Amino acid sequence: QVQLVESGGGSVQAGGSLRLSCAVSGTTYRPSCMAWFRQAPGKEREGVAGVYFRGGPTYYADSVKDRFTISQDNTKNALYLQMNNLKPEDTAMYYCAASWREGCRPSSRTDFSYWGQGTQVIVST
């Protein structure tokens, strides 16, 4: 049974940094796509950043470009998100997602079948 477990969330002041991690268990097959999404209270879940695990362009939402960096560890089927210069509007539950389907799109929420439980990020002024 495939499971995704996020870690690294927390509370920081504006301008601070956090590093999120996502570990995949239950399979040794490399995903096609992995991504980070976030959902703030009262808002829809939105894409933050995503990768083609086997190579391809990286996706970033405009709101996080030049502040967030997504990276992967193919040997561990792990995904990371380095978040710098955090802003209060980055406050949300952050979710890791994975897809083993060919042709998945890292920016598309509907392309992902496997999700973690989420890790909370709170950015205060």
Side-chain angles (χ1 to χ4, degrees):
Q1 182 178 353
V2 174
Q3 288 187 323
L4 279 64
V5 179
E6 304 97 335
S7 61
S11 297
V12 296
Q13 289 190 326
S17 298
L18 285 172
R19 186 174 186 255
L20 305 184
S21 299
C22 175
V24 179
S25 63
T27 181
T28 57
Y29 289 100
R30 189 174 299 175
S32 297
C33 299
M34 289 192 73
W36 290 98
F37 291 79
R38 67 185 181 186
Q39 188 167 16
K43 294 188 177 182
E44 291 191 357
R45 192 170 297 189
E46 63 176 1
V48 175
V51 294
Y52 293 95
F53 229 67
R54 303 167 192 173
T58 300
Y59 161 76
Y60 288 101
D62 288 343
S63 59
V64 306
K65 282 180 181 177
D66 301 324
R67 298 190 298 122
F68 291 9
T69 303
I70 190 170
S71 60
Q72 63 197 82
D73 185 334
N74 288 6
T75 64
K76 300 178 181 179
N77 277 358
L79 189 71
Y80 308 97
L81 186 68
Q82 178 66 43
M83 305 186 295
N84 297 329
N85 190 22
L86 282 160
K87 303 177 180 180
E89 51 263 42
D90 295 318
T91 295
M93 186 72 80
Y94 283 70
Y95 297 91
C96 175
S99 174
W100 279 260
R101 185 177 68 83
E102 293 299 326
C104 60
R105 296 162 295 174
S107 61
S108 174
R109 183 181 64 183
T110 57
D111 283 8
F112 290 92
S113 300
Y114 295 91
W115 294 83
Q117 293 300 306
T119 184
Q120 182 72 50
V121 171
I122 299 173
V123 185
S124 58
T125 56

